[in-house]
Amino acid sequence: MSEIIKVGVLTVSDRCAAGEAVDESGANLQALVASGTVYGGKVSKYMCIADELSLIKETLINWCDEEKLQLIITTGGTGFGPRDVTPEAVKKVIEREAPGLSTCMITESLKVTPLAMLSRPVCGSRGKTLIVTLPGSKKGSEECLRFIAPAVPHAVDLLMGWKTRVEKTHSALQAVGGHCEHIHHPRAHPHGHGLHHYHHHHHCHALGGEAENQESKADVSRISGRPRKSPYPMISVSEALSTVLSHAEQCANKTLPMQESLGFVLAQNIIAKDPLPPFPASIKDGYAVLASDGAGLRTVGGDSTAGCSPEKTRVSSGMCIRVNTGAPVPAGADAVVQVEDTELVKEDDDGRKELEIKILKVPNQGQDIRPLGCDIATGQKVLACGTLLGPAELGLLATVGVTEVLVVNKPTIAILSTGNELQEPGEPLREGHIRDSNKTTLMSLLRQYGYPVINAGIAKDDPTALLSSLKYAFSQADVLVTTGGVSMGERDILRPVLTTDFDAHIHFAQVFMKPGKPTTFATCQVNGRKKLILGLPGNPVSAVVTSTLYILPLCRKMSGRSDHMNTEIRAKLSESIQIDPRPEYHRATLCWHPGVDIPLAHSTGNQLSSRLLSLASAQALLKLPPATPEVKELAEGTVVDAILLEM
Ligand code: AMP
Ligand code: MG
């Protein structure tokens, strides 16, 4: 069982090879292999080459015969474009075709898009190497790899003659009567707007090995034996938040084109390499003069307009040069007199030229001149490491000519809904079902704040289904937000699956708050990477309140923001409010009245945690204190803390 499959990922794309496009598909396929989508696989070769038949052929032959890879995955060049020749190259290289793999990819892809009719996959073996051709798009190539993943390890075992693994698979097949056991596992499309379609993912226990089809070891079958009280201690919101934040590691740095860096935190100091203004510049439309000449007559010796070269002219005693705002002040001049403080004395015959003017006010030395480098000096630090890049900061980068910046990356967050009752919003509503709203809400919330999100689909309340979804989510992101499955029901299986199958540490699972009491936070290691899991309650309002409270600060901190906490203000209750034994986060709109410095807060009405309508127009979460035996209500006019919800 210990053999590792050596995998080669070959991207065939003129544009990527020329550096005109980023090889997202190749990068994604490598990540998928590394995360275990292809059983026991390890990427040992990767190349990105142009759509050249001979080049593709040579590379494949080298990887088969010299490098002795067990599996080669190509992406790109399988379409109908004039340069699409990957299948032709593969055909020349393989010795035996494996049409079953190609059929599987086409059949499954057709369920996703009719355009699959136009893909031309070729799969087969050369010596002991299996070669499969995947389409070029990131989404398509990932889907196709997932379609064939259950059969690939067995194919490799057979080609390699790895006997024990082959026998094991065969006996597993016998045990289930010669058929693969198909588990229909709905999984949303992980990419694009992907909220609409989903396909059924065929799991084949006997073939797949542990990467894709592992069964959960969590035993949740003893319903009557489940605890009737949460075994986790109840902690406060502030303790919960500081626990979450204490696990926030700042993301790695990356270089971005300046234009794409909006909303990122700068990971370098920005030093000006030249002065601004780069020449002494006039602040006014007027005349450049010698201040020592005082008021009185001047001959007009020419002009200096914005954008012209400063060496063109020179000012000497008794003369002046007409200048515009932003134009270089000519050499010799030490003051600018605005046109309003002058009079025309003499012009030429056709009135096109000023010949002589009179300065009405005695000029001061340096007046209305921005000296060289007065805004930004050469070598000056214009932006410090740690600065959040907003529109003005990007303008500064443009000013100092910095086109690429080192920034702190942002975390990618995978969002997974759980619940047997959930279905995608676009499907006809089935009996006993409701539409999954949490995924849309949370993905939109995070996107609104500029965080990349991954749709990890809907998991059934079944340990093995959840395990498979969690694995997928962990292969895509280091932060996972789930909704549902953390209450006290026997179907609330997130915690058992996390602890049993991922050896996760549950940091807390009960918070003294309303809504959001069962909010769960766990961490674990997957393939050497630390994963943070926030298990939010399924109720739509609880999910939004808890993501605002915990996930937004977490994401900000991971993105390098020092100001990662939510903004809190004070607000005055417009009416009396009953308070709960738990601290409540009460949705409200805010109204600022002229002359009053504290806004009035209006409750959005019924605060049932299932009532998404109570959030629809909310601008703030009022932090209502817990009730005491003495105080069960806050009177109208009470001032409370409120978390601002930016919209
Ligand atoms: P749970 O936390 O799984 O016990 O779910 C609590 C409530 O929230 C139940 O009424 C669920 O049907 C509902 N719920 C769970 N997940 C979602 C979701 N993704 N969208 C809308 N409602 C949900
Ligand atoms: Mg549920």
Side-chain angles (χ1 to χ4, degrees):
M1 291 297 284
S2 59
E3 292 90 346
I4 302 272
I5 303 178
K6 278 191 285 174
V7 183
V9 174
L10 182 64
T11 300
V12 183
S13 156
D14 284 336
R15 281 175 41 82
C16 294
E20 291 162 12
V22 177
D23 177 19
E24 288 189 1
S25 305
N28 184 47
L29 291 173
Q30 292 180 70
L32 286 170
V33 170
S35 67
T37 302
V38 181
Y39 179 28
K42 174 176 159 283
V43 181
S44 57
K45 281 276 158 193
Y46 160 72
M47 264 175 90
C48 179
I49 59 176
D51 295 272
E52 294 290 348
L53 193 95
S54 56
L55 188 57
I56 306 170
K57 238 178 76 184
E58 277 164 29
T59 311
L60 291 174
I61 292 175
N62 174 269
W63 284 9
C64 293
D65 300 355
E66 307 299 323
E67 302 291 339
K68 309 233 179 289
L69 304 184
Q70 273 90 45
L71 172 64
I72 299 174
I73 306 169
T74 73
T75 172
T78 64
F80 273 63
R83 305 246 324 140
D84 289 334
V85 292
T86 308
E88 287 58 48
V90 174
K91 271 203 188 118
K92 292 218 157 68
V93 172
I94 56 177
E95 296 154 353
R96 294 187 296 171
E97 209 171 329
L101 291 172
S102 313
T103 308
C104 165
M105 287 197 257
I106 292 187
T107 321
E108 292 298 321
S109 300
L110 281 172
K111 296 178 189 165
V112 181
T113 165
L115 287 180
M117 280 186 273
L118 301 184
S119 79
R120 310 181 295 116
V122 174
C123 302
S125 60
R126 176 186 177 90
K128 293 181 171 183
T129 311
L130 178 65
I131 305 177
V132 299
T133 56
L134 306 180
S137 77
K138 179 176 164 199
K139 176 173 177 288
S141 58
E142 168 164 351
E143 279 170 357
C144 286
L145 182 64
R146 288 183 179 282
F147 296 146
I148 59 168
V152 165
H154 191 48
V156 171
D157 292 349
L158 288 166
L159 284 173
M160 293 303 294
W162 283 337
K163 276 233 180 65
T164 40
R165 302 212 321 182
V166 171
E167 277 158 14
K168 206 167 162 165
T169 305
H170 281 160
S171 56
L173 275 171
Q174 299 292 309
V176 290
H179 294 289
C180 290
E181 182 190 347
H182 285 252
I183 293 179
H184 293 274
H185 169 56
R187 177 180 277 169
H189 269 269
H191 296 293
H193 48 288
L195 292 170
H196 313 304
H197 351 248
Y198 72 179
H199 61 261
H200 289 281
H201 198 82
H202 296 264
H203 280 260
C204 179
H205 274 254
L207 289 181
E210 51 182 47
E212 264 284 283
N213 308 314
Q214 184 189 338
E215 216 166 309
S216 170
K217 297 191 184 65
D219 179 9
V220 292
S221 57
R222 297 186 54 241
I223 294 178
S224 56
R226 75 185 144 123
R228 299 210 164 244
K229 274 211 176 75
S230 172
Y232 297 93
M234 179 100 87
I235 64 170
S236 70
V237 170
S238 62
E239 200 180 327
L241 179 57
S242 54
T243 306
V244 171
L245 291 178
S246 72
H247 288 274
E249 279 164 29
Q250 184 166 313
C251 295
N253 296 342
K254 70 168 177 182
T255 302
L256 275 184
M258 172 269 281
Q259 310 279 11
E260 290 164 28
S261 65
L262 185 69
F264 284 85
V265 168
L266 202 55
Q268 64 175 135
N269 291 325
I270 301 292
I271 310 290
K273 56 180 188 288
D274 39 34
L276 183 73
F279 45 81
S282 175
I283 298 177
K284 294 279 171 64
D285 293 316
Y287 300 89
V289 298
L290 280 179
S292 53
D293 287 349
L297 295 180
R298 300 282 204 289
T299 56
V300 181
D303 63 7
S304 171
T305 51
C308 78
S309 161
E311 285 89 39
K312 214 180 77 176
T313 47
R314 187 170 184 91
V315 171
S316 52
S317 181
M319 57 113 39
C320 68
I321 298 263
R322 201 157 42 78
V323 291
N324 297 148
T325 305
V329 173
D334 61 359
V336 166
V337 178
Q338 62 177 0
V339 68
E340 294 89 334
D341 295 335
T342 64
E343 264 176 26
L344 181 64
V345 176
K346 201 196 277 174
E347 58 192 321
D348 73 352
D349 294 343
D350 58 4
R352 286 171 184 273
K353 220 169 156 189
E354 300 171 337
L355 298 177
E356 196 173 19
I357 57 145
K358 188 173 172 188
I359 306 284
L360 303 176
K361 270 191 195 162
V362 178
N364 295 318
Q365 215 181 23
Q367 146 186 322
D368 284 337
I369 295 177
R370 283 156 63 219
L372 177 128
C374 83
D375 294 338
I376 299 172
T378 304
Q380 184 182 334
K381 190 202 286 181
V382 291
L383 289 171
C385 185
T387 306
L388 177 63
L389 295 172
E393 284 74 16
L394 262 59
L396 257 175
L397 292 174
T399 298
V400 299
V402 169
T403 53
E404 286 208 318
V405 280
L406 191 68
V407 298
V408 182
N409 206 354
K410 293 179 179 180
T412 297
I413 301 110
I415 314 275
L416 173 68
S417 299
T418 72
N420 286 343
E421 75 278 31
L422 300 181
Q423 59 172 71
E424 298 288 342
E427 305 186 315
L429 197 57
R430 297 195 294 279
E431 212 179 324
H433 282 62
I434 58 167
R435 299 184 186 95
D436 173 5
S437 66
N438 287 344
K439 178 128 38 55
T440 302
T441 311
L442 297 189
M443 288 180 73
S444 313
L445 177 78
L446 290 164
R447 279 203 186 115
Q448 185 184 20
Y449 287 91
Y451 297 107
V453 285
I454 301 274
N455 177 359
I458 300 174
K460 290 265 185 267
D461 294 322
D462 159 77
T464 296
L466 182 59
L467 171 61
S468 156
S469 294
L470 289 174
K471 284 188 150 193
Y472 170 70
F474 290 147
S475 74
Q476 301 292 309
D478 292 338
V479 180
L480 168 63
V481 176
T482 66
T483 62
V486 289
S487 311
M488 290 295 292
E490 75 283 358
R491 288 272 157 208
D492 291 329
I493 53 172
L494 179 72
R495 285 182 294 258
V497 171
L498 280 176
T499 47
T500 313
D501 295 311
F502 294 93
D503 204 15
H505 182 69
I506 309 282
H507 298 278
F508 61 80
Q510 270 211 100
V511 186
F512 191 47
M513 65 183 289
K514 181 190 175 178
K517 187 171 112 182
T519 304
T520 294
F521 176 56
T523 54
C524 64
Q525 292 280 335
V526 177
N527 293 326
R529 292 185 69 92
K530 181 170 175 176
K531 305 289 174 183
L532 273 54
I533 306 102
L534 266 145
L536 309 182
N539 264 316
V541 174
S542 320
V544 190
V545 169
T546 49
S547 19
T548 305
L549 253 48
Y550 304 112
I551 295 166
L552 293 180
L554 170 70
C555 292
R556 290 189 201 109
K557 188 168 179 199
M558 293 181 78
S559 314
R561 298 264 302 263
S562 50
D563 58 338
H564 48 258
M565 300 298 257
N566 287 318
T567 305
E568 285 193 16
I569 59 164
R570 315 263 292 154
K572 191 180 271 188
L573 302 184
S574 67
E575 64 218 319
S576 65
I577 294 187
Q578 300 285 330
I579 50 180
D580 190 84
R582 280 179 277 157
E584 185 182 344
Y585 291 80
H586 192 109
R587 282 76 72 198
T589 56
L590 300 175
C591 185
W592 276 265
H593 291 283
V596 183
D597 51 0
I598 295 187
L600 261 193
H602 298 271
S603 164
T604 55
N606 186 339
Q607 299 281 307
L608 263 186
S609 55
S610 55
R611 216 176 140 261
L612 200 51
L613 281 178
S614 73
L615 257 172
S617 57
Q619 292 167 297
L621 292 176
L622 306 180
K623 290 169 73 175
L624 304 182
T628 61
E630 298 76 41
V631 187
K632 295 200 160 50
E633 185 185 281
L634 295 185
E636 176 190 333
T638 308
V639 173
V640 297
D641 289 335
I643 296 172
L644 272 189
L645 304 172
E646 285 160 44
M647 272 295 156

